[in-house]
Amino acid sequence: MDEPSTSSQITHVGEPQVQTPTRNPSLNPQAFSTPSSARSQLGHDAPKPNTPLTYQKRKRKKITNTIDIKQEATEPIAIAEPIVNNNLGDVPSHSSGRGRRKKTVIINNSSTDNSGNKEAMVAHSVGFPVDSLTEEEIESSVVSTVGGTEQANYIVIRNHILGRWRDNVNAYLSKEQVMSSTPIQNKNLVSSAYNFLLTHGYINFGVAPAIKSVIPIQATKGSVVVIGAGLAGLAAARQLLSSGFKVIIVEGRKRPGGRVYTKRMEMGNIAAEADLGGSVLTGIHGNPLGVLARQLSYPLHKVRDKCPLYQPDGQPVNIEVDAKVEEAFNKLLDKAGQMRQLMGEVAVDISLGTALETFRKVYGVAEEVEEERLFNWHLANLEYANAGLLLKLSLAFWDQDDPYEMGGDHCFLPGGNGRLIQALTENLSIYYEKTVQTIRYGSDGVQVLAGTQVFQGDMVLCTVPLGVLKSNSIRFIPELPQRKIDAIKRLGFGLLNKVAMLFTHVFWGAELDTFGHLSEDTSRRGEFFLFYSYATVSGGPLLLALVAGDAAIKFESMHAADAVARVIEILRGIYRRRGIDVPDPIQTVCTRWGTDSFSLGSYSHVAVGASGDDYDILAESVGEGRLFFAGEATNRRYPATMHGAFLSGLREAANISNAATARSIPSKVERGLSKDIQSYAALLADLFRQPDLEFGSFSVLFDPQSDDPKSTALLRVMVGGTRRKGNDNSKSDQQHSNKLISQQLQSHFNQQQQLHLYTLITQQQALELREVRGGDENRLRYLYEKLGVKLVGRRGLGTQGDSLVASIKSARAARRPISISSPFKFGN
């Protein structure tokens, strides 16, 4: 069903892109009382009092966090304290503003404060904290010691490199060019920052001729099989080629792009390009797809704010009623956010829909017929934003990605996003119409079985949608870890469909990009509730009608002719009142993403019982650096977006490169233990579920082979998060998951600052540290000043730390019966 026929009624596939703007809240002082500090605590702008027929360019109204600052200060964050700044480095929370730098490097002796600020803003838009290291950087050991002047200088250099390349994304920025503008005493930091940014795909990525010219002619680092030619697979493949790998892509469809699909619609001399899948570039600041557009000299069209709404009979919505309901709707979201903070762990098992409906009844919102229809429109828009029914959306974590949203305008790409896909496929080896049934991975490599064909390599990257993983249509040998299987089950994967209609002319006018329609029937609130005008970007008179929520599910079985007839009925009800005739469309396309065997849905969301952790778990590699995963559902920060999929591909290209490098280095300890970042992270998370010692933000694992007080112990310190309340002695992964979710509820908007840092001490020192009074600040002071140790990232533990972790892992495994699957071995 991938390539439709040219008949006037066409059924096709649908939509992975979610973040349409929500309408701007108007003012209604009689709604509810919300603390005035709620938004300022989070850096959220207060609602702008625009006219009610405009909307803000945000994917949805955010639930604000109202954690009491005084209570939060009692938690062992302590990172804003001088003792921690000196020894852990410049990693304060953004609200504290207390990061300290000493003797910061000056780039080229001509950099002004403004240029430094600009570079810091660029780094922030890409996802870096402006004054601290990411956990990814700490794990990559970009500095010798976390904290101090070296880290401060590294950050300045890192931001400078990012800003310099973003100024001219068509050029390949070499290390030598950066060296030439940096003081000689900082050459090592330049090398560290440059290598990190290059390897992890933050610079020199994309499709510019200068970027493509550096791809090695011969592969030198092994072979990778990429499953899926969507944005994640294409991004990873290009990055791996640049790193010297041999790469092939196996794709089930007849075309590249996956859930990003631009279909050319034409009849006679009228034609247009319709984005049936991912459509909106959300937040152009820092967006890597915006970088691709710049490299290709493709202009972008800003999605205009004006979005009028119409009643079921075609009458415009009353402005005053619209203002009242919209303000009330946003207040309900704020109330739901406050409620989840008060409910704690209980909120994990409650849906956002249940909370909103409860508050609607309690406060008597939208009791009149017209108000109820408006309220239902907002609910439909929320279901569109999340590709899921509100009754299945997690109250606790439905908006866990909001702190990471990219700023800037939301844009359409004239000619469709398929133009980006075509550019990314250039010179890639893609095998189309190869449906993968089995993935085998073992110590000697991987095999991907598609029908009668077998594709072999050193490593495999699986980028299939979450819906396909949920269907179990791909067999993994050995079976995936239970941890990952559970995450796949917990995460939600919803549905959005479209009807694309090509007309003879633009009867709806060229001044709008969007307009909405209310439904009389609550159960059909998401049926053709929003229209996208593509007339300014598609090359022809093209209009798209969106179907969300429960209506999107029912739409899968609706006959295409009936669906089109219903849309035309709605349009005629709106425009005939204005004396405008609505002609029959000359060609239509109806999407069916839910029954498309290569997607089985549209995009992911955090369902009831799930959390943001599940995105991270889905992203973890398995098989000690043999099997990797990418795609929007593996990106905790940017799920359900096109740029999230693309960035996940760049991320996994770096992880694959690191795993290959680690495998090539002989080691006396378990191979890949400290080099495969994600596997090592998962291993440490599992081991620290049952620490031998736990107090405040500190957890300790002892050497299982020795009771000597002088034997080595592994200490973990949680920085920037909420303290675990007591030991976790749960008997199942699910119980453990619930406790972690409960913790997340109290640090929901602090995820950007939460880090785990480590060091090695003796058992005796750990016991002494526990007895230190005065809280975690005094313990940190004792750790630094009395014991003289520094905290490092996971990869900074060295061989002694790796040996200890391997020993603890082995001892834990020996305690319980295990099922061992023989690793897959390749024949000649």
Side-chain angles (χ1 to χ4, degrees):
M1 71 177 274
D2 194 55
E3 294 301 329
S5 65
T6 58
S7 63
S8 61
Q9 303 297 335
I10 301 174
T11 298
H12 206 278
V13 289
E15 168 86 7
Q17 161 62 31
V18 352
Q19 295 181 323
T20 190
T22 56
R23 291 165 44 77
N24 188 49
S26 303
L27 299 178
N28 178 11
Q30 298 180 351
F32 314 112
S33 60
T34 301
S36 60
S37 62
R39 287 188 182 85
S40 61
Q41 283 180 226
L42 301 174
H44 294 171
D45 294 331
K48 300 176 183 179
N50 293 344
T51 61
L53 297 186
T54 65
Y55 63 18
Q56 275 186 292
K57 299 182 295 298
R58 291 187 293 184
K59 72 176 181 182
R60 55 182 177 266
K61 175 68 173 63
K62 300 177 177 66
I63 286 185
T64 56
N65 186 336
T66 56
I67 295 177
D68 186 270
I69 292 180
K70 293 181 180 179
Q71 177 182 356
E72 189 175 9
T74 65
E75 298 294 344
I77 296 176
I79 195 140
E81 299 301 325
I83 180 66
V84 185
N85 276 337
N86 288 335
N87 294 278
L88 287 182
D90 306 309
V91 263
S93 65
H94 290 302
S95 60
S96 69
R98 292 200 209 167
R100 302 191 303 172
R101 292 178 179 171
K102 303 175 183 178
K103 301 178 182 178
T104 302
V105 62
I106 301 299
I107 304 295
N108 203 26
N109 293 323
S110 61
S111 296
T112 64
D113 288 340
N114 287 337
S115 65
N117 290 338
K118 177 183 176 183
E119 291 169 351
M121 290 176 63
V122 170
H124 182 68
S125 73
V126 175
F128 286 92
V130 296
D131 56 359
S132 62
L133 301 180
T134 65
E135 188 170 5
E136 194 176 39
E137 288 176 299
I138 293 174
E139 291 166 349
S140 297
S141 301
V142 295
V143 294
S144 58
T145 303
V146 179
T149 304
E150 181 190 29
Q151 174 178 299
N153 286 337
Y154 167 86
I155 291 170
V156 173
I157 293 170
R158 173 249 277 162
N159 294 352
H160 170 68
I161 297 173
L162 282 168
R164 185 166 175 177
W165 186 70
R166 284 287 177 134
D167 277 342
N168 184 9
V169 295
N170 285 303
Y172 186 91
L173 180 63
S174 68
K175 187 185 299 185
E176 290 70 28
Q177 289 174 305
V178 181
M179 290 284 192
S180 66
S181 62
T182 307
I184 190 169
Q185 65 267 28
N186 295 108
K187 299 300 183 183
N188 290 338
L189 287 180
V190 170
S191 182
S192 177
Y194 182 89
N195 291 340
F196 174 84
L197 295 173
L198 180 67
T199 301
H200 289 77
Y202 289 106
I203 61 172
N204 295 338
F205 68 84
V207 293
I211 305 298
K212 294 186 289 186
S213 67
V214 301
I215 296 178
I217 298 176
Q218 295 293 330
T220 59
K221 293 186 178 180
S223 58
V224 181
V225 180
V226 176
I227 302 173
L231 279 170
L234 295 175
R238 298 202 71 85
Q239 195 71 5
L240 289 167
L241 285 176
S242 297
S243 299
F245 287 88
K246 180 180 179 181
V247 183
I248 61 170
I249 302 177
V250 181
E251 168 59 49
R253 303 179 188 272
K254 299 178 182 178
R255 59 167 180 83
R259 289 168 283 166
V260 177
Y261 179 44
T262 302
K263 168 66 180 176
R264 181 171 179 81
M265 300 175 64
E266 58 184 331
M267 187 66 67
N269 61 351
I270 300 176
E273 305 292 340
D275 274 325
L276 302 179
S279 55
V280 184
L281 274 65
T282 52
I284 204 61
H285 292 166
N287 195 316
L289 302 184
V291 170
L292 299 185
R294 288 173 58 192
Q295 292 174 334
L296 295 165
S297 299
Y298 292 164
L300 297 176
H301 171 80
K302 173 187 173 182
V303 180
R304 290 169 288 189
D305 294 350
K306 188 176 181 181
C307 179
L309 296 183
Y310 296 96
Q311 294 279 9
D313 62 1
Q315 291 275 18
V317 167
N318 180 277
I319 292 178
E320 293 182 357
V321 176
D322 186 20
K324 175 184 177 181
V325 173
E326 189 157 24
E327 177 69 3
F329 175 79
N330 287 329
K331 294 289 186 179
L332 287 185
L333 284 178
D334 286 336
K335 285 292 183 183
Q338 296 168 22
M339 182 177 73
R340 71 180 176 192
Q341 296 299 321
L342 297 174
M343 294 177 67
E345 188 172 351
V346 179
V348 173
D349 299 318
I350 296 177
S351 72
L352 176 63
T354 298
L356 290 177
E357 180 59 21
T358 299
F359 279 118
R360 188 186 73 80
K361 292 180 178 179
V362 168
Y363 289 98
V365 173
E367 293 181 325
E368 300 295 329
V369 172
E370 186 178 4
E371 293 177 355
E372 183 180 11
R373 291 170 180 169
L374 271 165
F375 190 84
N376 284 330
W377 187 92
H378 288 290
L379 295 179
N381 198 34
L382 201 56
E383 290 180 321
Y384 163 42
N386 294 276
L389 304 180
L390 294 183
L391 290 177
K392 295 185 178 180
L393 204 63
S394 168
L395 169 64
F397 302 116
W398 72 278
D399 58 347
Q400 61 85 36
D401 57 311
D402 276 358
Y404 311 108
E405 284 186 347
M406 292 182 174
D409 295 328
H410 289 15
C411 299
F412 290 140
L413 176 66
N417 296 318
R419 301 173 74 191
L420 300 180
I421 297 297
Q422 290 302 319
L424 289 169
T425 60
E426 182 183 353
N427 296 325
L428 295 181
S429 297
I430 306 176
Y431 293 80
Y432 293 108
E433 298 184 83
K434 306 298 180 185
T435 302
V436 173
Q437 290 92 24
T438 304
I439 300 174
R440 291 175 173 167
Y441 58 99
S443 60
D444 290 341
V446 300
Q447 279 191 337
V448 175
L449 283 66
T452 60
Q453 289 188 273
V454 179
F455 300 89
Q456 298 190 108
D458 297 312
M459 289 166 284
V460 59
L461 172 61
C462 180
T463 73
V464 301
L466 176 60
V468 175
L469 292 176
K470 283 179 172 289
S471 72
N472 295 316
S473 59
I474 298 178
R475 183 186 180 195
F476 293 90
I477 305 176
E479 187 178 10
L480 294 177
Q482 190 62 44
R483 168 187 176 87
K484 189 179 290 286
I485 293 174
D486 291 342
I488 292 171
K489 292 178 180 178
R490 284 190 297 263
L491 281 174
F493 197 65
L495 191 58
L496 178 75
N497 276 312
K498 296 179 179 179
V499 176
M501 298 162 288
L502 183 65
F503 293 91
T504 55
H505 62 282
V506 183
F507 63 83
W508 58 91
E511 73 280 3
L512 293 176
D513 287 326
T514 60
F515 59 92
H517 174 261
L518 312 187
S519 175
E520 292 180 308
D521 186 349
T522 299
S523 65
R524 300 171 66 180
R525 67 192 181 200
E527 185 180 82
F528 317 124
F529 81 103
L530 187 65
F531 290 81
Y532 274 174
S533 170
Y534 268 61
T536 56
V537 295
S538 66
L542 182 67
L543 192 64
L544 272 68
L546 276 57
V547 192
D550 188 57
I553 299 173
K554 296 175 181 177
F555 182 82
E556 293 278 325
S557 58
M558 182 185 294
H559 193 280
D562 295 336
V564 173
R566 173 62 182 144
V567 178
I568 296 303
E569 179 185 0
I570 291 172
L571 292 173
R572 286 173 177 162
I574 294 172
Y575 287 99
R576 277 182 175 171
R577 291 180 174 277
R578 299 158 61 181
I580 299 173
D581 288 332
V582 176
D584 289 331
I586 58 177
Q587 191 180 36
T588 62
V589 173
C590 294
T591 69
R592 300 283 192 264
W593 285 110
T595 52
D596 180 343
S597 61
F598 297 115
S599 62
L600 297 176
S602 299
Y603 39 92
S604 64
H605 59 261
V606 184
V608 173
S611 76
D613 280 348
D614 291 317
Y615 288 114
D616 290 337
I617 295 171
L618 195 55
E620 291 171 358
S621 62
V622 299
E624 296 186 0
R626 294 294 182 180
L627 171 58
F628 298 80
F629 291 84
E632 57 85 12
T634 71
N635 195 325
R636 179 178 190 151
R637 292 190 173 194
Y638 311 109
T641 63
M642 292 186 291
H643 60 269
F646 187 89
L647 288 170
S648 75
L650 298 181
R651 178 200 70 213
E652 290 313 301
N655 288 331
I656 288 171
S657 182
N658 290 335
T661 300
R663 195 174 291 113
S664 66
I665 300 175
S667 177
K668 294 182 179 180
V669 299
E670 191 171 335
R671 187 168 65 180
L673 190 59
S674 64
K675 303 302 181 182
D676 184 342
I677 293 177
Q678 291 179 332
S679 295
Y680 197 42
L683 173 59
L684 285 176
D686 287 338
L687 295 180
F688 272 101
R689 290 183 182 185
Q690 295 181 322
D692 296 302
L693 204 60
E694 187 174 30
F695 45 92
S697 296
F698 298 76
S699 303
V700 184
L701 298 177
F702 293 153
D703 185 346
Q705 299 181 351
S706 175
D707 294 327
D708 187 345
K710 295 183 179 180
S711 64
T712 305
L714 177 60
L715 172 70
R716 184 183 74 176
V717 181
M718 186 170 70
V719 177
T722 304
R723 179 176 65 227
R724 288 175 56 175
K725 304 292 192 297
N727 291 330
D728 181 5
N729 295 319
S730 56
K731 298 181 179 180
S732 69
D733 286 346
Q734 183 62 46
Q735 289 174 319
H736 171 71
S737 176
N738 286 341
K739 178 161 286 190
L740 290 180
I741 289 172
S742 179
Q743 294 161 12
Q744 283 193 11
L745 281 168
Q746 300 179 37
S747 58
H748 181 64
F749 287 95
N750 294 322
Q751 295 299 318
Q752 296 177 81
Q753 287 79 45
Q754 185 172 357
L755 294 173
H756 285 148
L757 298 177
Y758 303 84
T759 193
L760 297 177
I761 57 178
T762 66
Q763 289 189 22
Q764 182 62 42
Q765 289 172 332
L767 294 172
E768 293 172 359
L769 187 63
R770 182 184 62 177
E771 299 306 315
V772 172
R773 298 299 178 231
D776 286 344
E777 180 181 347
N778 284 346
R779 292 191 182 105
L780 286 169
R781 189 183 301 276
Y782 184 89
L783 190 67
Y784 303 136
E785 298 178 359
K786 180 70 174 179
L787 302 183
V789 302
K790 294 286 187 179
L791 297 175
V792 298
R794 286 187 288 253
R795 298 185 69 193
L797 291 172
T799 56
Q800 185 181 7
D802 289 349
S803 297
L804 177 59
V805 171
S807 177
I808 298 171
K809 175 186 176 183
S810 177
R812 294 279 179 91
R815 295 179 188 174
R816 56 184 181 273
I818 58 175
S819 176
I820 302 177
S821 299
S822 299
F824 179 79
K825 301 287 186 179
F826 286 104
N828 294 327

